[in-house]
Amino acid sequence: MTTIAAAESQPFQAEVAELLHLMVHSVYSETDIFLRELISNASDACDKLRYEAIANPGLITDGTPPEIRIVPNKAANTLSVVDTGIGMERQELIDNLGTIARSGTRSFLSKLTEAKDGANLIGQFGVGFYAAFMVAEKIVVTSRRAGSDEVWVWSSEGGSGFEIAPASEEAAQRVARGTEIVLHLKKDAAKYLEAYEIERIVREYSDNIQFPILLVPEEGEPRQINSASALWQRSKSELTPEDYAQAYKQIAGAFDEPAMTLHYRAEGRQSYAVLLFAPSQKPFDLFQVERKGKVKLYVRRVFIADDAELLPAYLRFIRGVIDSEDLPLNISREMLQNNPQLAQIRKAVTSRVIGELETLGEKEPETFTKIWDAFGPVIKEGLWEDFERREKLLALARFTTTSGEKRSLKQVVDDFKPNQTEIYYLVGDSVERLKSNPKLESARARGIEVLLLTDPVDAFWTSAPLDFGGKPLKSLSQGDVDFGLIPLADDKQDKKDEPAADAATTIAVIKDALGERVSDVRASQRLTESASCLVAGGDARDRALERLLAQQNRGEITKPILEINLRHPLVAALATDSAQAKDLSLLLFEQAQILDGEMPDDPAAFASRMNQLVLRGLGK
């Protein structure tokens, strides 16, 4: 094996050291995935070479085609994975193999520690290379960057660090371009030297890799063991559900099953093939700040980019491939953003994906529910961002309401009460808290269905002027609400005959007591049982959105409006008990704050006030 001369030792990044410890000292049932990960990395290296060679043909003047070779050596107890891809320079070896430069690493380590079997996690966090330490006691990587005269050797035994050194003359001659990874296998991993075992793993995980995978046996000629066909270019009639499932796992680097598959070819002004999947489980990076998509762009089967923004950010959970026949091969990543052809593809594919989700919701509601449960909060981002498709996205959305779960707006509108003209909603932290919100009381008394919105994004998209089928969406926490024309569900609930406090006198007393704490005090049309609630003015932001923005230092909370129930005994007492008027007014305000999920401005004063009123009621 390669002799490393003048080797320089370097420590691993802290997360890598912890990861390697887990890999080396843990036993997972699906160790086969190490080979899938190494082949996937090799395929990426070949893709990158083809892409860079478009601008610099000199990188492949030697005529060596991009390919991947697997070389078992029973005598040396080694398994080598060799590619003729782009290769790595010294610093790239250090950066790529000595650190994990992706977010989510800490989350991955935590889940890997807790999981009984980490196979379903590896590959999703950019740590696929390290899976090789499950079967290898030592790994030696020799690499030559395409177009470079320098060859470097990286080696590690999975401890606290690694060594890197210039390659020997023998190794430099052996690696003319690309990367050679030599695994010195553990004793219990000897099965991976058997040709039939290698072929089984390649067929299962890597059959559709776009480059030839050659098995180089110790005796006999090398032979290709994968089909190396672009599955998305094949006819749907040729493919089985198993073919699609395997393609999804290879393309997305995933281990779940796809919940939705979309495969078609567009012809006409532009020609391109599309193979897209909706996962059935949330990817770890779904809520990264960058909100980048994961659909790969190919041009005539040449990989161009995996971050070309081929779908809007609210569809970033979609995985797959778009392969264009018309885009120029030399298109740069900078040109991708402003290319009109790509913009047309993006628009057409986005509409097709939404249409496919609509069809799934109608014909396979259980499958659609699985997608919505995983990605509903992401899709709802489009209600704020994509004005053109807002109506379609509203039709697609499913909501928890006071009448049930997974309700569509069409179902809500179909169940409108007589004289109802608006779709009502409340935004909050949890369904349980919203169900107990006093602002629902008048709607509940009339059997009006109300959307209960609890995702953080709900506070944003509901701030836009929205309607569905001509029915406006209306917040029960904002502006005026009048249910006067909608009959009560039970005539016995009508409390119009009950005595009410004098509105003008009571409101004047409360305003005087609260001062600058509120912008206004008024009689409520929302309340039937509770004494008070807080709402925002018609021109102000919904209170849920204000709180969310304030937490992010993006705005201040404006003074709310206090609405009071003039038929509540506590409100009525204000007009007859001038001695306690201020305390009762403050109590109404602070109770409303608590019911809205806020802390009173002065919790100690609130507790003292409550104690005094309770003792007074007890006659103490």
Side-chain angles (χ1 to χ4, degrees), residues 28-265:
Y28 300 119
S29 60
E30 297 294 336
T31 53
D32 293 355
I33 62 162
F34 85 90
L35 188 54
R36 191 208 85 131
E37 291 300 318
L38 294 183
I39 291 173
S40 178
N41 290 345
S43 175
D44 287 345
C46 292
D47 265 333
K48 290 174 182 176
L49 175 66
R50 290 206 303 181
Y51 176 73
E52 291 196 15
I54 295 170
N56 185 6
L59 296 178
I60 54 175
T61 52
D62 60 4
T64 304
E67 65 180 19
I68 303 165
R69 286 177 286 136
I70 302 176
V71 187
N73 187 331
K74 292 183 179 178
N77 196 39
T78 63
L79 180 68
S80 300
V81 178
V82 186
D83 68 70
T84 55
I86 194 64
M88 290 177 279
E89 297 173 336
R90 177 182 179 279
Q91 192 59 45
E92 288 176 310
L93 283 167
I94 295 172
D95 292 341
N96 294 338
L97 306 185
T99 63
I100 303 177
R102 291 182 59 175
S103 60
T105 305
R106 178 54 53 191
S107 173
F108 168 75
L109 290 171
S110 174
K111 291 183 180 180
L112 189 63
T113 304
E114 296 170 3
K116 294 181 180 178
D117 186 350
N120 63 330
L121 299 174
I122 296 167
Q124 298 183 25
F125 286 78
V127 295
F129 170 79
Y130 305 103
F133 279 101
M134 293 192 294
V135 299
E137 58 187 14
K138 180 180 180 181
I139 299 179
V140 179
V141 180
T142 306
S143 192
R144 183 198 296 265
R145 189 68 155 79
S148 174
D149 294 329
E150 296 183 349
V151 184
W152 293 91
V153 177
W154 178 102
S155 65
S156 175
E157 295 181 1
S160 60
F162 58 91
E163 292 185 336
I164 190 162
S168 65
E169 185 177 344
E170 174 193 353
Q173 291 178 350
R174 191 172 64 247
V175 181
R177 184 188 72 223
T179 301
E180 173 193 75
I181 300 176
V182 180
L183 310 182
H184 294 259
L185 298 177
K186 298 177 180 178
K187 291 181 180 179
D188 58 0
K191 68 177 183 178
Y192 294 113
L193 297 174
E194 301 295 340
Y196 66 85
E197 192 74 9
I198 295 170
E199 290 188 62
R200 177 187 65 79
I201 295 171
V202 169
R203 281 196 305 271
E204 182 175 354
Y205 289 117
S206 308
D207 191 53
N208 292 310
I209 289 292
Q210 294 302 293
F211 304 96
I213 301 176
L214 305 178
L215 177 62
V216 185
E218 295 182 67
E219 296 181 1
E221 293 295 318
R223 67 180 188 278
Q224 184 171 330
I225 56 175
N226 70 317
S227 64
S229 65
L231 183 139
W232 56 86
Q233 293 286 2
R234 294 162 62 185
S235 169
K236 291 172 67 173
S237 61
E238 301 176 22
L239 303 171
T240 65
E242 291 73 22
D243 291 329
Y244 284 122
Q246 193 53 51
Y248 162 69
K249 292 175 182 179
Q250 292 171 12
I251 293 169
F255 290 85
D256 60 326
E257 297 295 321
M260 181 186 81
T261 300
L262 177 60
H263 182 200
Y264 69 97
R265 171 175 287 281

Side-chain angles (χ1 to χ4, degrees), residues 474-587:
K474 169 69 177 174
S475 172
L476 291 181
S477 288
Q478 185 181 22
D480 295 323
V481 173
D482 187 358
F483 295 128
L485 296 177
I486 303 176
L488 289 162
D490 184 352
D491 290 338
K492 294 180 181 179
Q493 297 183 54
D494 193 345
K495 298 184 178 182
K496 288 183 179 179
D497 295 333
E498 292 185 9
D502 179 73
T505 302
T506 306
I507 289 173
V509 170
I510 296 174
K511 280 186 175 181
D512 182 62
L514 296 182
E516 295 299 315
R517 292 179 177 87
V518 296
S519 63
D520 195 10
V521 179
R522 65 190 183 195
S524 179
Q525 300 296 322
R526 295 170 171 84
L527 303 174
T528 60
E529 300 170 9
S530 299
S532 61
C533 67
L534 295 175
V535 300
D539 297 329
R541 291 170 171 161
D542 189 273
R543 289 178 50 72
L545 177 58
E546 279 200 337
R547 285 196 296 269
L548 191 61
L549 293 174
Q551 291 170 4
Q552 302 170 3
N553 297 317
R554 293 169 59 188
E556 297 181 356
I557 295 179
T558 58
K559 295 173 185 176
I561 295 170
L562 178 68
E563 290 197 352
I564 55 172
N565 179 1
L566 292 172
R567 288 182 171 79
H568 193 279
L570 188 60
V571 177
L574 279 163
T576 59
D577 192 344
S578 58
Q580 298 294 325
K582 183 170 183 178
D583 282 342
L584 290 174
S585 297
L586 287 167
L587 181 62

Side-chain angles (χ1 to χ4, degrees), residues 247-545:
Y248 162 69
K249 292 175 182 179
Q250 292 171 12
I251 293 169
F255 290 85
D256 60 326
E257 297 295 321
M260 181 186 81
T261 300
L262 177 60
H263 182 200
Y264 69 97
R265 171 175 287 281
E267 302 285 358
R269 293 178 62 185
Q270 291 193 71
S271 177
Y272 53 91
V274 175
L275 178 59
L276 300 177
F277 304 95
S280 54
Q281 297 178 7
K282 292 181 184 178
F284 81 98
D285 55 358
L286 187 62
F287 291 103
Q288 285 185 331
V289 176
E290 298 84 1
R291 302 167 72 221
K292 287 187 176 180
K294 300 293 182 181
V295 176
K296 302 177 188 293
L297 174 65
Y298 282 74
V299 174
R300 295 190 287 283
R301 302 192 188 189
V302 176
F303 173 75
I304 301 299
D306 56 7
D307 56 354
E309 297 184 13
L310 295 166
L311 290 172
Y314 64 85
L315 293 177
R316 61 185 176 276
F317 60 92
I318 297 291
R319 302 295 194 255
V321 169
I322 296 177
D323 190 350
S324 171
E325 297 293 332
D326 306 309
L327 288 170
L329 272 173
N330 62 349
I331 188 170
S332 68
R333 289 174 181 262
E334 292 73 24
M335 293 167 60
L336 290 176
Q337 302 302 319
N338 302 312
N339 184 277
Q341 291 176 289
L342 200 63
Q344 292 171 10
I345 293 174
R346 184 185 297 118
K347 182 177 182 179
V349 175
T350 298
S351 296
R352 189 69 180 260
V353 169
I354 293 174
E356 193 72 11
L357 289 170
E358 286 178 326
T359 301
L360 204 63
E362 295 171 2
K363 298 184 177 180
E364 299 180 47
E366 290 185 4
T367 302
F368 177 78
T369 294
K370 185 184 297 184
I371 295 174
W372 185 260
D373 285 344
F375 308 112
V378 179
I379 296 172
K380 284 192 286 188
E381 293 173 11
L383 294 171
W384 171 257
E385 298 172 340
D386 194 343
F387 177 82
E388 180 183 348
R389 300 182 181 87
R390 186 172 288 168
E391 182 83 9
K392 284 186 171 294
L393 293 174
L394 279 171
L396 200 63
R398 298 294 184 269
F399 300 97
T400 296
T401 75
T402 50
S403 296
E405 297 182 350
K406 306 298 183 297
R407 297 274 291 171
S408 69
L409 289 185
K410 182 180 184 304
Q411 291 173 308
V412 173
V413 171
D414 287 345
D415 289 344
F416 264 21
K417 298 303 175 184
N419 301 322
Q420 182 179 347
T421 59
E422 296 175 312
I423 301 169
Y424 298 102
Y425 67 87
L426 266 180
V427 180
D429 299 328
S430 70
V431 170
E432 292 73 20
R433 182 175 289 178
L434 287 176
K435 283 182 176 180
S436 62
N437 194 304
K439 297 165 195 172
L440 283 177
E441 291 173 357
S442 188
R444 186 184 293 118
R446 289 162 172 77
I448 297 171
E449 185 173 7
V450 179
L451 312 183
L452 305 176
L453 309 178
T454 58
D455 292 320
V457 69
D458 292 330
F460 289 92
W461 67 263
T462 52
S463 65
L466 298 167
D467 71 86
F468 177 78
K471 309 295 183 183
L473 271 71
K474 169 69 177 174
S475 172
L476 291 181
S477 288
Q478 185 181 22
D480 295 323
V481 173
D482 187 358
F483 295 128
L485 296 177
I486 303 176
L488 289 162
D490 184 352
D491 290 338
K492 294 180 181 179
Q493 297 183 54
D494 193 345
K495 298 184 178 182
K496 288 183 179 179
D497 295 333
E498 292 185 9
D502 179 73
T505 302
T506 306
I507 289 173
V509 170
I510 296 174
K511 280 186 175 181
D512 182 62
L514 296 182
E516 295 299 315
R517 292 179 177 87
V518 296
S519 63
D520 195 10
V521 179
R522 65 190 183 195
S524 179
Q525 300 296 322
R526 295 170 171 84
L527 303 174
T528 60
E529 300 170 9
S530 299
S532 61
C533 67
L534 295 175
V535 300
D539 297 329
R541 291 170 171 161
D542 189 273
R543 289 178 50 72
L545 177 58

